[in-house]
Amino acid sequence: SASPLWTSAKVFAGCNGLGLGISLAKDTHTHLDLIGTGAFAVAAYATKGPTASSRTSALMVGAWATRLASFLFYRALGHRDGRLEGTTKTLQGCVGFWFVSFVWGWL
């Protein structure tokens, strides 16, 4: 069985890789917070432990991440976030953004 550290690395890498792919394929920002923040819910579920306290902790983190990702996604549907406009227009900017998102989430 993989350690929770490496499991979470795989989850964050997969989610951020998906986000990068969408960013490169589409001219949209609606997925940024949904995937970036939603990755915390996926990682919490993937690394939940065998004890009641670790499962409760994973449930609380997952609930928080789901709630926040849902709110941010809903907000993004209403308007485009101009703060990342220049960053996500280039390959280097997209890769940099999603790499920082990966590091921020994993560490």
Side-chain angles (χ1 to χ4, degrees):
S1 165
S3 75
L5 180 66
W6 293 115
T7 299
S8 67
K10 288 187 247 179
V11 167
F12 279 103
C15 289
N16 285 284
L18 174 65
L20 173 61
I22 294 170
S23 291
L24 293 173
K26 301 280 186 183
D27 183 30
T28 180
H29 289 183
T30 55
H31 65 290
L32 299 181
D33 290 319
L34 179 66
I35 294 174
T37 306
F40 285 92
V42 178
Y45 178 78
T47 60
K48 68 185 182 308
T51 66
S53 62
S54 66
R55 288 180 181 269
T56 300
S57 177
L59 178 67
M60 295 297 129
V61 170
W64 163 81
T66 301
R67 183 175 181 223
L68 181 58
S70 299
F71 166 74
L72 294 172
F73 179 65
Y74 173 76
R75 187 183 70 171
L77 291 175
H79 74 283
R80 192 168 176 96
D81 189 350
R83 296 174 296 164
L84 298 172
E85 205 59 48
T87 303
T88 57
K89 288 286 186 196
T90 66
L91 175 63
Q92 182 179 355
C94 275
V95 170
F97 172 83
W98 286 105
F99 178 75
V100 169
S101 179
F102 163 75
V103 171
W104 181 261
W106 186 46
L107 299 179

